[in-house]
Amino acid sequence: MKTNIHARKLIAYACLAVLAVAPARALADTATFTAAPVSGCPDCTAKDTTGLVVYADGTLLPNGWDVKTSSSGLYIANRIGGYFKLPGKTFDLTGLKLFATNVFSSTTAPVTYTLYAFHPGNPIADQVQVTINSRVVKDVPLTDTRLLNLDSVFVRFGSEIGYSYFIETRFTPH
């Protein structure tokens, strides 16, 4: 009986020691861009309070805006897409909450985003496609390992997407 109690204590101490020295897993951040300042060519860049930056790729109109932030989130209006980057760090893209319209349909219809995942030191991107129904807010958990340890990710809109709101962009910084 006495040996059994000592063995249990030893196991408990060993478990605590392992937990104490195990590397902590970083918690995911959520960028909403609701209060993000917008700057650039005109208004081509927005920086969330989490540090995540989005750059519009191309412009909708020469005198127009391409990135807008509001209480609804981040709106990219160039109908092409945008680059997401965490300056000075790598990150894992873990999820998106999206809303989009389909230019070919006034009802709920599928729209596709292509995520071009760029990894440090590699100029060739991995591609991951995400399809959601338009006119519906969709929370998309991202578990594809190609979206880990990113330098940046370019989210390209399918030609059927009229406009797109990024309500949440979830990521884990490194």
Side-chain angles (χ1 to χ4, degrees), residues 99-150:
F99 178 85
T101 60
N102 187 313
V103 295
F104 305 120
S105 174
S106 60
T107 62
T108 299
V111 294
T112 301
Y113 296 85
T114 302
L115 310 177
Y116 293 88
F118 291 93
H119 302 276
N122 188 355
I124 300 171
D126 288 323
Q127 295 181 30
V128 177
Q129 288 199 323
V130 173
T131 300
I132 65 168
N133 284 330
S134 62
R135 302 187 188 280
V136 177
V137 173
K138 180 66 177 172
D139 191 354
V140 183
L142 299 170
T143 58
D144 193 305
T145 57
R146 294 173 291 180
L147 298 174
L148 301 177
N149 193 35
L150 301 176

Side-chain angles (χ1 to χ4, degrees):
M1 183 80 161
K2 191 174 186 180
T3 307
N4 194 14
I5 293 172
H6 290 294
R8 284 185 186 166
K9 283 183 180 179
L10 185 60
I11 290 171
Y13 289 131
C15 288
L16 287 174
V18 167
L19 290 174
V21 297
R25 185 158 181 93
L27 297 175
D29 284 336
T30 301
T32 60
F33 292 94
T34 54
V38 177
S39 62
C41 58
D43 302 335
C44 289
T45 303
K47 183 176 182 181
D48 187 70
T49 55
T50 61
L52 191 66
V53 177
V54 63
Y55 307 92
D57 184 39
T59 57
L60 182 62
L61 299 170
N63 300 346
W65 53 270
D66 298 296
V67 174
K68 188 178 239 184
T69 59
S70 71
S71 60
S72 300
L74 171 69
Y75 174 37
I76 298 178
N78 61 9
R79 293 190 179 151
I80 297 169
Y83 283 95
F84 290 82
K85 189 167 184 64
L86 192 59
K89 295 183 180 180
T90 59
F91 63 98
D92 302 337
L93 186 62
T94 59
L96 297 168
K97 187 183 280 188
L98 302 166
F99 178 85
T101 60
N102 187 313
V103 295
F104 305 120
S105 174
S106 60
T107 62
T108 299
V111 294
T112 301
Y113 296 85
T114 302
L115 310 177
Y116 293 88
F118 291 93
H119 302 276
N122 188 355
I124 300 171
D126 288 323
Q127 295 181 30
V128 177
Q129 288 199 323
V130 173
T131 300
I132 65 168
N133 284 330
S134 62
R135 302 187 188 280
V136 177
V137 173
K138 180 66 177 172
D139 191 354
V140 183
L142 299 170
T143 58
D144 193 305
T145 57
R146 294 173 291 180
L147 298 174
L148 301 177
N149 193 35
L150 301 176
D151 179 51
S152 65
V153 63
F154 175 54
V155 180
R156 183 159 179 82
F157 301 169
S159 60
E160 75 280 8
I161 295 177
Y163 63 84
S164 181
Y165 276 99
F166 291 79
I167 299 166
E168 290 181 357
T169 305
R170 292 184 303 279
F171 65 97
T172 302
H174 297 253

